[in-house]
Amino acid sequence: MPELPEVETVCRGLREILPPGAQLSSLERSSYKLRFRFPARVEERLKGQQLQSIQRRAKYILFKFDREVLINHLGMTGSWRPKATGELTGHEHVALQFSQQLRLVYNDPRRFGYFDLVANKDLATCRWFKALGPEPLDATQFDPDYLKRRAKSSGGSIKTFLMNQKIVVGVGNIYASESLHRAGVRPTRSPRSLTLKECERLVVAIQDILQQAIQAGGTTIRDFVSAGGDLGAYSTSLTVYGRPGQPCLTCAKPIQSYRLGGRATFSCAFCQH
DNA sequence: CAGCGCCCCTGCCCGC
DNA sequence: TGCGGGCAGGGGCGCT
């Protein structure tokens, strides 16, 4: 489900629901294991702490409390919705209770999502964060020179390269295909072969597309919902993803689909070189 | 050791 | 209408 625009959309929705300074009164969870073991003694450690902020880093949601950060990755099908009362049912796995009426429930049918809890000071060096690449929307860190430098020494395909969170964070399977199409670069190209000009076009394409997708509240293919219950409207702006055989919106030739690194990939043989 | 499959899950859609 | 196979927005891990 969630790439950078979807996680950003969830964070914005959560901020609208949770007032600053909300105090965690209890944490409830299902007996199911998510992708990884749930961190030990979470409720005991977090109970009574005030929520300072909700932030996004890469595809992670960060619930920053007084002393510790609750880290949540949505996997493929994770979502957060307010649900004031009632038992956890179905695929609901975690509930954060703040006040009588303020309770957020984490739902995740495939259970690829996960949680961790780290001390504030250890966030940058924790196992999830230490190797992450730059944020694509941070122009001071993610620019054509950076991309060219990293691409120069990388094998594989440019699409897999863009989806590698050590190179740049937040780009997943949908936006990788979309960005490569916008930039006119074939997904199968070796990163080594990219010119600086192509890196420039890729950086611009990635930044434009992610920004537009955030504006649209993300992309919903099947599951994605924001914390407010809205579907992502960027689905209607997709140019290649999920459009095999349909005409390219630039040249009208049929969009090709194939697998690259085990993932569905979409491109135009005429527009992308 | 970079890079590639496999696999963790459930649900849905498609073809037979 | 029922059912098996394939596939899904992520990414850690084990193997080569």
Side-chain angles (χ1 to χ4, degrees):
Chain A
M1 173 207 325
E3 304 181 33
L4 185 150
E6 290 74 38
V7 179
E8 180 63 31
T9 298
V10 171
C11 285
R12 292 180 181 191
L14 289 171
R15 283 183 212 120
E16 282 181 26
I17 294 164
L18 285 173
Q23 188 178 40
L24 188 88
S25 55
S26 72
L27 185 153
E28 188 187 351
R29 63 190 200 87
S30 74
S31 54
Y32 285 96
K33 194 171 97 84
L34 296 178
R35 169 112 202 232
F36 301 108
R37 171 186 286 282
F38 207 71
R41 303 169 21 247
V42 182
E43 182 173 35
E44 179 190 331
R45 289 160 68 185
L46 278 182
K47 206 168 171 173
Q49 289 195 48
Q50 284 187 335
L51 184 69
Q52 299 302 323
S53 65
I54 295 169
Q55 292 171 20
R56 178 193 61 75
R57 166 75 171 117
K59 297 177 190 170
Y60 296 91
I61 296 169
L62 306 178
F63 295 88
K64 295 199 163 181
F65 288 88
D66 298 326
R67 298 179 295 281
E68 288 167 301
V69 189
L70 181 66
I71 300 172
N72 169 228
H73 193 292
L74 300 172
M76 293 277 261
T77 53
S79 64
W80 285 97
R81 297 300 326 273
K83 184 185 178 189
T85 55
E87 295 292 297
L88 293 182
T89 58
H91 297 299
E92 297 170 348
H93 298 292
V94 179
L96 303 179
Q97 183 92 47
F98 287 91
S99 61
Q100 187 86 44
Q101 287 303 309
L102 201 51
R103 181 174 175 254
L104 281 161
V105 172
Y106 176 76
N107 188 298
D108 191 349
R110 290 179 73 180
R111 286 185 259 133
F112 285 176
Y114 54 94
F115 288 80
D116 201 359
L117 186 63
V118 303
N120 290 343
K121 64 177 174 52
D122 298 330
L123 186 61
T125 52
C126 76
R127 58 176 299 205
W128 314 111
F129 279 48
K130 62 183 179 195
L132 288 181
E135 287 286 330
L137 298 178
D138 179 353
T140 66
Q141 290 186 60
F142 184 65
D143 61 24
D145 286 328
Y146 168 80
L147 200 64
K148 174 89 173 112
R149 182 168 60 76
R150 299 300 303 266
K152 201 167 53 184
S153 56
S154 297
S157 70
I158 181 63
K159 177 172 176 253
T160 305
F161 173 82
L162 292 178
M163 289 171 65
N164 182 346
Q165 304 299 297
K166 292 177 182 170
I167 303 297
V168 60
V169 302
V171 179
N173 204 36
I174 294 180
Y175 299 111
S177 278
E178 291 295 313
S179 302
L180 286 161
H181 181 254
R182 173 87 65 101
V185 176
R186 276 206 162 88
T188 50
R189 282 273 297 282
S190 166
R192 279 188 242 283
S193 73
L194 290 195
T195 63
L196 183 59
K197 198 134 221 110
E198 287 172 324
C199 289
E200 283 167 11
R201 291 209 308 269
L202 266 175
V203 166
V204 171
I206 289 168
Q207 291 176 338
D208 281 358
I209 286 171
L210 294 180
Q211 292 279 21
Q212 287 171 16
I214 291 170
Q215 289 300 309
T219 299
T220 297
I221 300 294
R222 60 204 314 153
D223 301 309
F224 175 70
V225 241
S226 72
D230 301 311
L231 303 181
Y234 196 77
S235 325
T236 58
S237 300
L238 297 176
T239 59
V240 289
Y241 187 90
R243 301 187 61 244
Q246 295 177 52
C248 171
L249 300 175
T250 308
C251 75
K253 298 236 172 11
I255 297 298
Q256 302 183 312
S257 75
Y258 46 98
R259 299 192 83 77
L260 200 52
R263 321 280 277 178
T265 305
F266 304 87
S267 64
C268 173
F270 187 79
C271 296
Q272 295 173 255
H273 303 281

